[in-house]
Amino acid sequence: MKYSFAAAALVATVAADKRDLCADGSQDIGGNWYCQAVEAITYTGMSGAGSYNKVTNMGADGSCSTAPHAYSGSMCPLDEELSMHFRGPIQLKSVAVYAPQSGSKARRSAHASKHAHHHAHGHNHKERAVGDMVTATIDGQVVSWVNQYAGPATPAAAPVAAAAAPPAGSASSASSSASSKAVYVPSYTGPGWARTAYYNSSSHTAQGLVFLNNMGGAGSGVWDTTWGNSLSYASSDGTQCASQAEVLNDCEVPSGNEFSIFSDKPCSDGSCGYSRPGTVAHHGFGGANKAFFFEFEMPHDYAATGQNADMPAVWLLNAQIPRTAQYASCSCWSSGCGELDLFEVLSPGDDRCKSTLHSNIAGGDSDYFQRPVNQTMKAAVVFNGENIHIKKLDDSYTFGTHMDTATINSISQSTSTQNQLTSLFSLIGAAGDSHA
Ligand SMILES: *[C@@H]1O[C@H](CO)[C@@H](O)[C@H](O)[C@H]1NC(C)=O
Ligand SMILES: *[C@@H]1O[C@H](CO)[C@@H](O)[C@H](O)[C@H]1NC(C)=O
């Protein structure tokens, strides 16, 4: 399987044989490029059309059958159900998932001029320049390439609305519409966003979600020599397989361990599509508009050896990936069904967390969040219209049962109105990938 960036926008060829986000610690990290610490990263232009290959059968003989699945529209394919993934060392304090309450209506408005203003004043924000190195982890390999995309013209002219959408039917969304600078900020009217899942470690509360890991076969899930461990329920310390759902303790999950969060709704209703036989299978969190709030700390544990030593991460996957094979080559990952790395440390002991998108469009931002090594950090990831906003929050935020419209919109608008250091990563003309 080959994962290659075919678009003219980028010069890169990435060969990868296996889906393995957590490759061993022997990655070549020499090519990593970091620009500056930011407090928000926004992906704009999340729309288009394409297809990926859904797994239809995982044979005991190692055969993997798939069928093409077409999609189109805002946020696709990340509008599908997503699961949250965590790698130690991490202390997860709280998580909340929100979705617009029924009755909410998205009204799209363009705020390109504000963004242009932001640039025109030479705010301390660096758009990636041609010649900069771009780094991403793809199939467990840290890869870098030279950016060839000059970015949108500055300052922006009038917002270009529909032009932002790539042509339907094209999986490669790289168009060179350099003028599509508009940052769309949908304004919601209606009752706001409701919390659909919640975890709070200090009160040991888990509502609407379950903690899983990839340790199937020792109490829940399955293990076999062909596909390895399936998903399983995670023990309350996050490091073992449990026979049923347990609430994660208020504890640090050390290096070399991963766990995930799915909704508490099992796939037994048949509506998840194909999952590996015998795996623990739960629904993820779906919808084009949704928000994930996190509170976590990523302390150093200075693990000297082992896989992913002292390399914590928080990321999202299309939930089909772990329900089939997160770490074997039979999932929709390689055909672009979607992964969004939110806060990923790419080299052992490093203090910088990067974000990368692996989807129908792929790309990563060279700016980074400061790793919260000795205090917790609160952050929001808001899928809103055609933008994804990853934003550090003030410590005063609480993750209540309701997020009002003003709060969601202020997080979404911060890219163009606040002084917060923000990195804007436009997927329009920035990157595309093809799946040969
Ligand atoms: C947290 O760690 C950073 C970097 O290691 C250090 O500069 C800072 O003083 C520490 N803060 C506290 C409160 O210990
Ligand atoms: C977690 O629960 C405690 C009370 O037990 C509360 O003070 C805190 O604000 C909650 N955290 C979040 C992020 O809502």
Side-chain angles (χ1 to χ4, degrees):
M1 244 167 290
K2 198 174 178 125
Y3 195 96
S4 64
F5 291 82
L10 295 174
V11 179
T13 303
V14 182
D17 297 314
K18 245 188 349 192
R19 160 72 194 144
D20 183 5
L21 184 77
C22 296
D24 57 35
S26 63
Q27 295 166 337
D28 173 11
I29 58 168
N32 276 356
W33 178 269
Y34 298 94
C35 289
Q36 63 176 332
V38 294
E39 296 189 317
I41 291 176
T42 290
Y43 291 87
T44 64
M46 290 291 301
S47 80
S51 80
Y52 64 81
N53 298 326
K54 263 186 202 274
V55 174
T56 54
N57 190 60
M58 297 171 73
D61 58 353
S63 60
C64 176
S65 312
T66 63
H69 171 74
Y71 57 77
S72 63
S74 292
M75 211 60 83
C76 66
L78 296 181
D79 60 326
E80 296 183 9
E81 292 187 3
L82 305 179
S83 46
M84 293 173 257
H85 297 261
F86 305 86
R87 182 169 76 207
I90 191 166
Q91 176 149 20
L92 185 64
K93 301 296 293 183
S94 340
V95 167
V97 183
Y98 294 86
Q101 279 174 278
S102 48
S104 298
K105 276 188 290 191
R107 198 180 62 231
R108 192 162 291 164
S109 58
H111 286 257
S113 58
K114 284 187 181 165
H115 183 66
H117 178 81
H118 174 85
H119 270 268
H121 286 259
H123 182 67
N124 188 18
H125 157 84
K126 187 173 179 297
E127 202 108 45
R128 192 182 42 229
V130 169
D132 277 0
M133 290 303 293
V134 180
T135 301
T137 303
I138 294 169
D139 268 2
Q141 312 283 334
V142 176
V143 297
S144 301
W145 59 90
V146 177
N147 181 45
Q148 300 290 308
Y149 172 57
T154 307
V160 183
S170 159
S172 171
S173 300
S175 72
S176 52
S177 51
S179 62
S180 36
K181 175 134 183 109
V183 176
Y184 295 106
V185 182
S187 302
Y188 284 87
T189 56
W193 294 39
R195 195 176 73 191
T196 58
Y198 180 56
Y199 167 65
N200 185 318
S201 66
S202 43
S203 60
H204 208 60
T205 305
Q207 296 166 347
L209 53 80
V210 291
F211 292 90
L212 305 186
N213 56 10
N214 286 302
M215 303 185 92
S220 57
V222 290
W223 177 88
D224 61 49
T225 52
T226 307
W227 301 112
N229 301 91
S230 74
L231 281 176
S232 51
Y233 292 109
S235 62
S236 57
D237 69 356
T239 69
Q240 303 295 319
C241 177
S243 57
Q244 58 185 17
E246 297 186 2
V247 179
L248 186 70
N249 288 336
D250 190 8
C251 66
E252 181 185 329
V253 176
S255 281
N257 294 277
E258 291 184 17
F259 60 94
S260 53
I261 296 181
F262 286 69
S263 87
D264 65 347
K265 291 171 201 62
C267 291
S268 47
D269 62 0
S271 60
C272 291
Y274 183 83
S275 296
R276 176 178 169 185
T279 187
V280 171
H282 280 251
H283 281 274
F285 302 96
N289 295 309
K290 56 197 165 204
F292 301 89
F293 284 68
F294 300 98
E295 179 185 12
F296 61 95
E297 187 174 343
M298 292 172 160
H300 286 289
D301 66 1
Y302 301 107
T305 55
Q307 277 209 336
N308 299 309
D310 205 3
M311 281 175 61
V314 179
W315 71 106
L316 300 170
L317 289 177
N318 186 314
Q320 293 172 65
I321 297 168
R323 288 193 305 246
T324 47
Q326 190 175 345
Y327 292 115
S329 55
C330 187
S331 82
C332 57
W333 188 89
S334 58
S335 56
C337 62
E339 163 174 344
L340 178 61
D341 301 327
L342 304 171
F343 308 98
E344 182 183 23
V345 173
L346 288 168
S347 54
D350 199 40
D351 279 349
R352 294 165 293 194
C353 299
K354 297 191 76 173
S355 173
T356 309
L357 174 71
H358 311 276
S359 183
N360 59 323
I361 313 173
D365 199 288
S366 292
D367 295 322
Y368 61 91
F369 293 95
Q370 198 67 46
R371 170 177 171 177
V373 290
N374 49 12
Q375 72 227 355
T376 59
M377 175 169 101
K378 288 179 179 170
V381 181
V382 178
F383 290 66
N384 199 343
E386 293 176 0
N387 300 332
I388 302 174
H389 308 270
I390 308 174
K391 191 186 178 202
K392 192 174 175 216
L393 299 175
D394 192 85
D395 285 338
S396 62
Y397 268 81
T398 55
F399 304 165
T401 55
H402 180 88
M403 268 299 159
D404 60 38
T405 301
T407 304
I408 292 286
N409 284 341
S410 79
I411 292 168
S412 305
Q413 284 167 3
S414 65
T415 51
S416 49
T417 59
Q418 306 296 313
N419 285 330
Q420 211 177 17
L421 267 187
T422 292
S423 185
L424 198 60
F425 190 87
S426 173
L427 293 161
I428 306 299
D433 64 274
S434 70
H435 306 281

